[in-house]
Structures are given as C-alpha cells and as structure tokens.
Amino acid sequence: MSTRGESARKPPAIATWLVRRASPAAERQFILGDLREAFDERVASIGLARARRWYWRDALASLAPLAARRFFIATHRSSIATPGDSMWTSLLADLRHAARLSRRGALASFAVIATMILGVGSTTAVFSAMNAVLLRPLPFPHSERVVQLQGTLRDGRVIQTLAYPDLVDFQQTVPDFADLTVFQTNQRTLQHGSEPRLVHFVDVDDAYPRIFGTRIALGRGFTSEDAKVDAAPVVVLSNPFWASEFGSDRAIIGRIITLDDSPVQVVGVLAADAYTFPDPHADALEPLTIQPNTPMTNRGAMWAGAAALLKPGAVLAQTNRDLSAAAASIAQRFPNANRGISANAIGLRDAVVGSVAPMLELLAAAVAAVLLIACLNIANLILGRAQMRTREFAIRAALGGSPARVRRQVFTESLLLALIGGALGVALSPSLTHAIVGLYPTALPRANEVGIDMRVLLFASLTTLLAGVLSAIPSARRAARLDLSNDLRDGGRSGAGFRDRRFGRVLIVSQVAASLALLFAAGLLLRTFERLTTIDPGFDPRGVMTFHVFASSARYAEVADFDRYYANAAAALRAIPGVKEVSSTTMMPFGSGRFYDIFFPNDRGDQGANNPAAAVSFVAPGFERALGISVLRGRAFTPSDDSIAPRVVMINESLAKRHFPGRDPIGQTITWNTEKDWRIIGVLRTAHLDSLSEEAMPILYTSMLQSPKRSRYFVVRADTPPDQFF
Amino acid sequence: MTKGAYLGEFEMLVLISIGRLGDDAYAVTIKREIERRAKRGASIGAIHAALGRLADKGYVDFRISDPLPVPGGRARKYATITSAGSRALRSSVGAIGRMLDGLELGVEL
C-alpha cells in the first residue's frame, strides 16, 4: 500500500515528460527536481489532486520560456560558447562563427586581409633587408674590429686609397693597429673557351686572409714567395667563379690559365663563404707585388686600398686621433708630396653599407607608415562591420548574450582576419624581399646575405597580433555599449552613437594624416630625384655606350703595337651601321679610372707643396663629341696632336675658373709630369664625374696620342640600341 | 544606468528575490518569494530560463549543493548575485525611481 501511495503521489508523467523535452540538457535535472520539490510541498499543503492540477499549470507555463532558452543555447552553442564550456570549445565555436561571418562579408574581409598582407609583407621584407644589410655583423670573425683606411685630399675630398709608404708608416706608428693589409682591385682578361672574359681581381698581401678570415677550400693560399717581383704568377679563384668558369673541377689546382695573354698558375680555390673586400663579387685573388722604385712606392701616389685589424678594446676615435697625428708627422717630413693629405679609419661595416643606410632607413620609415595605415584601415573596416551588425549584437544581448561574450567574439573575428592576412603576408615576404634585392642587385651591398630570419618573423607575427587586437578595440567597445531599444529598432542604420562616430572620425583623420605624410615624403623624394635628373651632368649620356679594353703587354709589347690595335678597333667600330662617333678615354664619368696629379701654371711658378691638383684624363680625338661635352673656348684635340706635335692639353671650366680667374687660359702653358711646355688649347664644359650632388672637380685633359695608355674605355655614340650594338 | 546593463522586469524580480533570500536562493524559493511579495505567478521553467540569461550576462553565479540527505535526495542549484548583478540591479531600480519621481499615478507606491 505504501508503495502504491508513494507512486500515486507522483506528479503527472506527461507533464514531466513535456518539461523534460523542453529543458536544456544541462539544466534538466535541476528544473525537474525543483518542480518535484514544489509539487511535494503542495501535496502536503493542498492535497494531491490540487497539487497535480498546479503541476500541470506550472509545467505548461514553463514550456515556452524553457523551449526559448533551449533554442537559444542550441542555435548559439555552435557559434557562441556558453559558460561552463572549456576555453578551447568556446574558442573553436568563436572561430567557426568568425569564419562564417567573414564569408558573409567577403568584400570587407578581403579588404582587411589584403591590407594586412601589404602591411606585414612589406614590413617583413624591408626589415629583413635592414637586418641583413645594416645590423648583422659582416660574415667573418672579429669583423667588428676591422676598419677601412681612407685618404683625405687637400680639397677635403675623401678617397678610398692611400700611398703605400704612408701605410707602412701607419702600421708602425698607430698603436691600435694589430694588423694591416694593403690591396688593390684589378681587371684582367681571361682567355678560356671561345669568348674572352673580363675577370675582377683583388690583389692582396699576406695579411689579407688574417684580417678578412679568407679561407681556402682547395689547394693553397699565397705565401710571401708568391709576392716577390720575380715569382711565377699565381692565382686563387673564388668559389662561384671556379663553379661557373671551370665547372667546380677539382683538377684545376696546378693548371695554367691565360690572363691578359700571360700564363698564370691556379694554386687554390676560396671557400664558398669566403669574404672578399672591397669587391665581394671578386672572381679571383692574386698576390700584390710591390715593385720597388716605381710610382707604387712613391709618397703622394695614392693607389693602395687598406684595412686594419684593431687591437681588442681599441676605441675608433682614439685610433683616428693617432692616425691624424701620424699623417701630420709624415706631411711635415715630406711636405711636397703629403702636405694637406690626411687619413682616417671607419668601421668596415659602415664602409660597406654606409651609402645605402639612409635609403634603407627611409624605406623602413615608409613601410612602418604603411603598416600604421594598414592597422588604421583594418580598425576602420572592422568598426564599420560592427556598426552594420549592431542589430545582431542587440539581439544577442536581448537573448541573454553577455557583453563579455560579444566582446570576445569581436576580438576573435578581427584576430582571425589579422592572422590570415599576417600569415599570407609572412608567406609572401620572401618573394617581396627577393623583389627588393632584385631592384638593387648591384647597388645593395651584402645582397646575397639577405633572407628572412626568425627574429623578423617573430616581429611580423607580433605586429599582426597587435594590429588584430588594437583594431578590434573600437568594435568591442561598441558591442559592449548597446542601446537595446534603439539598436533593435534601427539595426545598422543609425547604430553609431556619438562616441562611435567621433572614434570613427578620429580613425579616418589619422589614416588620412598618415597617408598624407607618406605621400608628402614620397613627393619630396620624387622632387629630389627629379631635380637630380634635371641637373646638367655636363655631358649628354643619351645614345652613348662604353666598354673597357686592356691591351696586354704580352700581346702588344710596344706602344706602337697597342696604338695600332686601338686605331684598328676604332675604325672597325666606326664601320658599324648607326655609329656616329668613336673615341676613347682613361676616365669615364660615373665610372672608374680616377687619376689625380699635380700641375702648375708656368706664369705662377712652382709653389712646391701648394701646387694645385686635378683629375687627369687621357682622351683620344673626338672624345668631346662622343660624350657630348661642348667646347667653350679654343679647340679640341685633333689627330694631328700626336707624339711629334707640340704638347697640348685641354682643361675644364672648373679648372679655368679656379686657376685662371679673370684671364683667358687659351695659349697659357703649364708644367705637368715634369714637362714644362703643355699649352692649353681648349676649355671644355665641366662634366660631373662622381656625383650629381657634389661640386664638379677640375679636370686636365691630355691627348692619348701624346701619352698613350694600354687601358682605355671606348666611348661610342650611336643610334643603335645598346643590346643590338653589342 | 549604462546601456549594457539592461534588465527586463522579470529578471529584475528574480535578481531582487535572490538578494533577499541570501544563501537560500534557488528556483523554488525564488518562485515563492515572487508570488508572496510581487503577487504574481512565476513558473519554475520561467525562473530557470531567467537565471540562465542572468548568468550569461555575468549577473549571477551558481553553486551546486550536495545531494539532500534523504533517499533519492537531489542536488540543488543555488544562485548568488555577482557584483556586476548588484550594479545592474541598482541602476535599473534607480532609473525606474527617477522616472517615477514626481509622477502622480493616483495610487500609493
């Protein structure tokens, strides 16, 4: 009986079943338990029958709110995590929802991702290049202690070479120098296979491998015997040159190759990572032989490149004071050659990358601005989306979505977009880096060392995350400040409140300001560039082609031999259709072949150490026509100004103004190269030689027919495009 | 009252009941409290749904009791107001109070 009584006091089963069906699973046991407890109380107070009727009423009244609650949880569980879910479950749910929304607003999502790719990709690429070029040490041991020595001329001009005897003195008198190397660059012609090939050399002394850590992969390096005047000529090939020219043939060691028509023995091959200075792309090294009693050992003949290894703990400023003192002491002892000549040392890395540092820094500032604009753009796009979705946020809040959950959802969405954009940007940055290096393959020093490194990747990833979080803040603030009645009614139409509108305006103004700043900077750069292109270089480079030729002494022993060769070559070039003018010179504007020497106008007399200096250019007749330099006064060289004719020179306007002020230089004589009777026959327009932004230097032109040179640049003016011509 | 701290009338009643009941607030006692004081019916299901919404907004926390010490005894889900819940309640009630201030309805409030 008691069992029957117990069962008879149970609530109506159908009503219980209905409530069970309507309840959210997680709440079910508590809802049914509470109903049962209330039912039991009523059975005790009002009797079973009335209690059962109450149960039915309460159960039916519960169905609608419970079903709504269950529906809300079911529809939002996949996209909106509920309290009690694990962090990962809710994160996954948020991500799924974010992905769905991104697909729905495909255009806005695409804009965010594309902006991010641009921002992160360019930042990573430029900072990778900066890291490799400016920040990383040069790729050999103790590179931070290596300095390059530079010479300072009387007019303050800094050059990369010094006189050999001065360098020997510096090594002995500057206490911070642990080691010092002397070198020079050189070009020779290799006769190997069907085509002759120009080979770039560095002539090095025995200290060179100690200072630059140059390692040998095959064979041997140079010994002090190799540098002797009468030693058999030997060469060490660079690894890339060995691979490209000799197919990495290990039997190359001991082989004789032909350079400038002379036999030279290959004794070694450099390691693949060997660093060569000053030309990192040098094809080969050869021993530097100091020929005694030649201009090589003259003071005042500044031909030698030099680098020194400082002692550990040495301070560059002190080294430079010692170096200046040593140079001043030499100038006192040898005033004729060295008065006004000084020397200084700069860190090797600054010497290598100094010229591009401002460019890279400018580029870095520009991409930082691009990244800033990208972030602002993303913030704006995401804020715009959030305003469109005000109604959605309002519905969520009305159905019980907490502001914290909506905020988290907004953050997940913008993080997802930023991560996708960032990942693609990072993925694309190697190609972008490659493109940057490709833009300046020769101008960018250390280009072969540029690559993406882990720190830059980390930087880009952090930038991305930061951009994602920062750009979500305005939307999150919006989501947390809902005005339900307005937002539900107006939806996206008038969703933005005063503060949002103000924030949106601040974003747009910042974006426009940053864009304008970038635009102005770019405009100024373009203007500078335009002004540089409008500076008259003093010659007309259009349609001019130039190439270097060296007539070796092995094949052309006498002056008459190579003179004939050059005359024949010029005649052959003139016969090519489209060619208008052919000439040759030893010094090309913006090329190499600089040679400075001292002269003096005879009417002023020998001033000793105060004699003026000028760049000396040996030119063949027709040079000024080939290069488009106008003759301002007098005449230019003709074929009759040859070795049996009276000695003649031309000067440029800069030299005329400086050393013949207020008088006509035509007909004046000067002393140069120990000869007294060089007569000035013409004044040429001043041509810039090194830089458009620097003041043009004085130049003395002398006739190639009166001072023949083996090494010459041909200058060809033609209507034919260069590739067709060559 | 900030825009985000929005409370429906029924949610407000549930929150007030929880506040009054202290440690003993669960659906049965909340229902009793609302019926006794507000003189209006409230189904167990409606109270549970409102509690769920309030929890989503961070206004209430739950604590599950040990099973009652009787045969077949069940665990109860007790609710407490969070500080955010208190703030939301204060601002909602304050807003209503300010709205009513000086208004003649002809009834005693």
Side-chain angles (χ1 to χ4, degrees):
Chain A
M1 273 302 285
S2 69
T3 316
R4 278 191 65 190
E6 284 290 322
S7 64
R9 289 219 301 262
K10 276 190 175 171
I14 296 173
T16 305
W17 181 83
L18 284 173
V19 172
R20 186 190 299 277
R21 295 292 300 167
S23 303
E27 304 289 308
R28 199 168 285 153
Q29 59 157 322
F30 298 111
I31 296 168
L32 291 173
D34 285 341
L35 258 176
R36 178 65 192 255
E37 186 180 327
F39 171 76
D40 286 344
E41 280 178 9
R42 277 164 180 71
V43 171
S45 60
I46 57 175
L48 181 62
R50 288 178 67 190
R52 286 174 70 90
R53 280 200 294 280
W54 171 86
Y55 192 94
W56 265 110
R57 276 200 310 277
D58 201 274
L60 289 176
S62 292
L63 289 181
L66 284 177
R69 177 79 189 147
R70 185 176 172 180
F71 179 71
F72 175 77
I73 292 173
T75 49
H76 286 73
R77 178 168 289 273
S78 61
S79 56
I80 297 200
T82 48
D85 281 341
S86 78
M87 196 183 79
W88 287 112
T89 318
S90 51
L91 183 67
L92 275 177
D94 282 351
L95 281 174
R96 273 200 298 272
H97 188 62
R100 216 164 31 230
L101 280 169
S102 303
R103 280 200 301 274
R104 210 184 300 159
L107 194 64
S109 308
F110 176 76
V112 172
I113 290 173
T115 315
M116 210 65 223
I117 290 174
L118 194 70
V120 172
S122 53
T123 313
T124 313
V126 168
F127 279 91
S128 291
M130 270 192 87
N131 178 37
V133 176
L134 299 185
L135 306 177
R136 219 186 287 159
L138 290 167
F140 60 89
H142 54 243
S143 63
E144 71 291 345
R145 284 200 283 133
V146 177
V147 293
Q148 188 193 9
L149 303 188
Q150 298 176 320
T152 314
L153 302 180
R154 291 188 181 94
D155 58 1
R157 196 183 297 273
V158 172
I159 59 172
Q160 309 302 317
T161 48
L162 291 138
Y164 178 74
D166 296 354
L167 289 168
V168 174
D169 285 356
F170 291 153
Q171 183 164 23
Q172 287 159 359
T173 51
V174 177
D176 285 340
F177 286 169
D179 212 343
L180 189 141
T181 174
V182 177
F183 48 81
Q184 71 172 350
T185 53
N186 203 349
Q187 293 178 348
R188 309 240 246 139
T189 307
L190 170 75
Q191 278 95 25
H192 176 251
S194 55
E195 295 272 322
R197 182 178 161 176
L198 196 65
V199 183
H200 299 267
F201 275 90
V202 184
D203 299 352
V204 304
D205 63 1
D206 55 348
Y208 189 90
R210 292 200 297 272
I211 288 181
F212 294 111
T214 322
R215 288 185 302 110
I216 298 287
L218 203 64
R220 66 170 177 88
F222 301 131
T223 64
S224 50
E225 292 297 310
D226 293 327
K228 287 192 171 159
V229 176
D230 52 355
V234 290
V235 66
V236 169
L237 307 179
S238 79
N239 212 292
F241 185 69
W242 174 50
S244 65
E245 198 64 34
F246 299 101
S248 299
D249 178 9
R250 298 180 75 83
I252 188 77
I253 304 300
R255 246 185 40 209
I256 305 290
I257 58 174
T258 308
L259 286 168
D260 286 345
D261 293 315
S262 304
V264 179
Q265 188 181 31
V266 178
V267 293
V269 174
L270 292 178
D273 59 352
Y275 184 74
T276 52
F277 185 83
D279 178 6
H281 305 292
D283 300 311
L285 302 182
E286 61 182 357
L288 176 68
T289 304
I290 304 293
Q291 309 272 358
N293 306 317
T294 63
M296 277 188 114
T297 53
N298 282 356
R299 289 199 194 261
M302 299 171 80
W303 60 268
L309 176 67
L310 300 185
K311 288 178 180 161
V315 180
L316 189 59
Q318 182 57 43
T319 310
N320 268 323
R321 280 194 288 274
D322 294 339
L323 202 52
S324 298
S329 149
I330 297 172
Q332 253 185 353
R333 281 183 286 143
F334 306 97
N336 275 358
N338 278 56
R339 184 160 161 195
I341 305 273
S342 190
N344 76 303
I346 61 165
L348 195 68
R349 197 172 59 188
D350 294 338
V352 171
V353 303
S355 58
V356 293
M359 181 196 84
L360 276 179
E361 281 157 10
L362 192 73
L363 210 55
V367 294
V370 169
L371 188 67
L372 178 70
I373 294 168
C375 287
L376 290 168
N377 199 13
I378 290 165
N380 230 342
L381 283 165
I382 288 179
L383 184 68
R385 260 162 63 122
Q387 282 174 359
M388 308 260 285
R389 289 168 56 202
T390 307
R391 194 187 178 88
E392 179 199 327
F393 293 148
I395 290 173
R396 280 194 187 177
L399 289 176
S402 72
R405 285 295 305 114
V406 177
R407 265 204 301 271
R408 203 164 90 190
Q409 176 64 32
V410 171
F411 274 115
T412 311
E413 276 171 46
S414 50
L415 268 179
L416 180 76
L417 290 178
L419 280 175
I420 292 174
L424 287 174
V426 168
L428 282 179
S429 54
S431 319
L432 279 173
T433 313
H434 196 71
I436 287 183
V437 174
L439 281 178
Y440 311 98
T442 49
L444 191 66
R446 313 182 69 188
N448 53 334
E449 297 173 46
V450 176
I452 303 287
D453 81 355
M454 288 314 288
R455 279 174 304 176
V456 177
L457 262 184
L458 191 70
F459 173 81
S461 314
L462 286 180
T463 315
T464 319
L465 280 176
L466 199 67
V469 172
L470 290 182
S471 58
I473 287 175
S475 315
R477 280 158 51 103
R478 171 86 195 114
R481 281 186 288 105
L482 291 172
D483 177 358
L484 280 190
S485 51
N486 278 332
D487 291 346
L488 278 172
R489 190 175 58 248
D490 298 333
R493 275 171 290 139
S494 66
F498 172 70
R499 289 173 67 177
D500 292 319
R501 284 200 302 273
R502 195 176 55 184
F503 193 78
R505 277 189 211 128
V506 167
L507 275 182
I508 291 170
V509 167
S510 320
Q511 200 175 343
V512 170
S515 307
L516 276 180
L518 194 64
L519 206 62
F520 279 132
L524 281 175
L525 260 186
L526 277 178
R527 181 104 185 87
T528 309
F529 182 71
E530 191 212 334
R531 283 171 67 172
L532 276 179
T533 55
T534 54
I535 288 179
D536 184 357
F539 60 96
D540 180 10
R542 288 168 298 177
V544 175
M545 288 162 286
T546 173
F547 53 95
H548 179 251
V549 174
F550 181 83
S552 71
S553 54
R555 188 177 289 187
Y556 307 101
E558 300 298 323
V559 171
D561 297 333
F562 67 78
D563 248 2
R564 199 177 317 115
Y565 160 73
Y566 278 115
N568 292 342
L573 287 168
R574 275 193 199 95
I576 297 175
V579 171
K580 290 173 164 175
E581 191 66 58
V582 176
S583 185
S584 60
T585 175
T586 53
M587 185 172 81
M588 277 305 292
F590 299 92
S592 57
R594 298 286 174 274
F595 173 71
Y596 305 92
D597 210 347
I598 295 162
F599 71 97
F600 60 85
N602 288 338
D603 61 349
R604 204 177 281 174
D606 189 349
Q607 312 263 320
N610 288 330
N611 280 337
V616 181
S617 180
F618 301 80
V619 300
F623 164 78
E624 75 291 342
R625 287 194 302 276
L627 209 52
I629 303 177
S630 44
V631 181
L632 299 177
R633 299 182 63 80
R635 66 170 178 91
F637 295 140
T638 63
S640 58
D641 294 319
D642 57 12
S643 54
I644 53 168
R647 295 195 179 93
V648 287
V649 292
M650 297 189 290
I651 57 175
N652 71 352
E653 201 182 1
S654 170
L655 193 150
K657 278 186 182 157
R658 202 177 291 191
H659 301 296
F660 299 93
R663 56 203 173 119
D664 188 357
I666 304 297
Q668 302 280 345
T669 55
I670 62 163
T671 297
W672 168 65
N673 196 21
T674 69
E675 306 283 352
K676 288 184 176 173
D677 49 356
W678 297 94
R679 184 168 302 278
I680 299 172
I681 56 161
V683 179
L684 295 192
R685 233 181 124 199
T686 297
H688 288 259
L689 285 185
D690 290 316
S691 162
L692 289 175
S693 53
E694 280 174 20
E695 198 196 340
M697 70 173 85
I699 303 175
L700 195 64
Y701 293 97
T702 176
S703 169
M704 197 76 90
L705 300 177
Q706 297 186 334
S707 320
K709 293 288 162 194
R710 285 184 182 279
S711 170
R712 299 181 187 184
Y713 290 92
F714 270 105
V715 187
V716 179
R717 178 173 290 277
D719 295 333
T720 338
D723 47 347
Q724 201 181 325
F725 173 80
F726 284 109
Chain B
M1 176 180 172
T2 61
K3 290 176 192 171
Y6 182 85
L7 277 178
E9 184 208 0
F10 188 63
E11 287 171 353
M12 216 182 324
L13 293 181
V14 171
L15 263 189
I16 294 169
S17 305
I18 297 169
R20 299 191 70 90
L21 290 164
D23 285 343
D24 193 32
Y26 64 107
V28 178
T29 52
I30 292 168
K31 174 184 166 70
R32 200 182 295 146
E33 193 72 12
I34 290 174
E35 285 172 347
R36 204 158 62 85
R37 290 189 170 272
K39 308 285 187 224
R40 58 172 278 186
S43 70
I44 294 285
I47 291 167
H48 269 282
L51 284 173
R53 291 197 299 274
L54 289 169
D56 286 353
K57 293 177 188 172
Y59 295 163
V60 297
D61 269 341
F62 294 115
R63 145 181 79 83
I64 311 293
S65 75
D66 293 333
L68 298 178
V70 291
R74 64 183 192 92
R76 284 174 181 158
K77 191 172 176 180
Y78 288 100
T80 51
I81 305 187
T82 64
S83 51
S86 303
R87 276 198 302 277
L89 185 58
R90 251 198 313 277
S91 54
S92 288
V93 171
I96 292 171
R98 285 191 297 278
M99 289 301 289
L100 290 173
D101 219 357
L103 181 67
E104 282 295 335
L105 289 178
V107 290
E108 199 176 318
L109 291 169

